[in-house]
Amino acid sequence: MDEDAETLYTQETNLMVEKQHAVRMIERAWCRYRDIRMFRVLKRSICSAENSVTSEVIKKLNPNEAKMLDDPTVTAKVRFSSSFSLLEPLQDVGFLLRS
């Protein structure tokens, strides 16, 4: 009788361990999926900001240089660079002049 109870207990314990392992795998997969989606959203937002708000960003960062860029022959583009770590803020903001 004791052997049957011990075997049953061992089987139940193994089943619980397998369920916990499965839960951890699902949780890791969901977190990975969520992180990848968030990265894509942030990357697209930054890329669209580079193309659409150049003059406004430069005016806020350095008004004197923004006056130089009012010339229609000068093409400027704000470039945001970062390590794209979700835990760190943007590390560097700069702009490129194209003539």
Side-chain angles (χ1 to χ4, degrees), residues 27-73:
E27 184 179 17
R28 281 196 311 259
W30 172 252
C31 289
R32 185 171 44 250
Y33 170 79
R34 183 195 61 205
D35 291 345
I36 289 170
R37 295 286 295 181
M38 182 58 69
F39 172 81
R40 288 180 183 161
V41 167
L42 291 174
K43 183 179 175 188
R44 288 184 186 139
S45 297
I46 289 172
C47 289
S48 68
E50 285 180 352
N51 295 323
S52 64
V53 294
T54 299
S55 60
E56 291 85 12
V57 170
I58 294 173
K59 284 179 186 176
K60 290 182 181 183
L61 292 176
N62 194 339
N64 293 331
E65 290 181 6
K67 291 176 187 175
M68 293 187 325
L69 299 176
D70 286 337
D71 184 11
T73 61

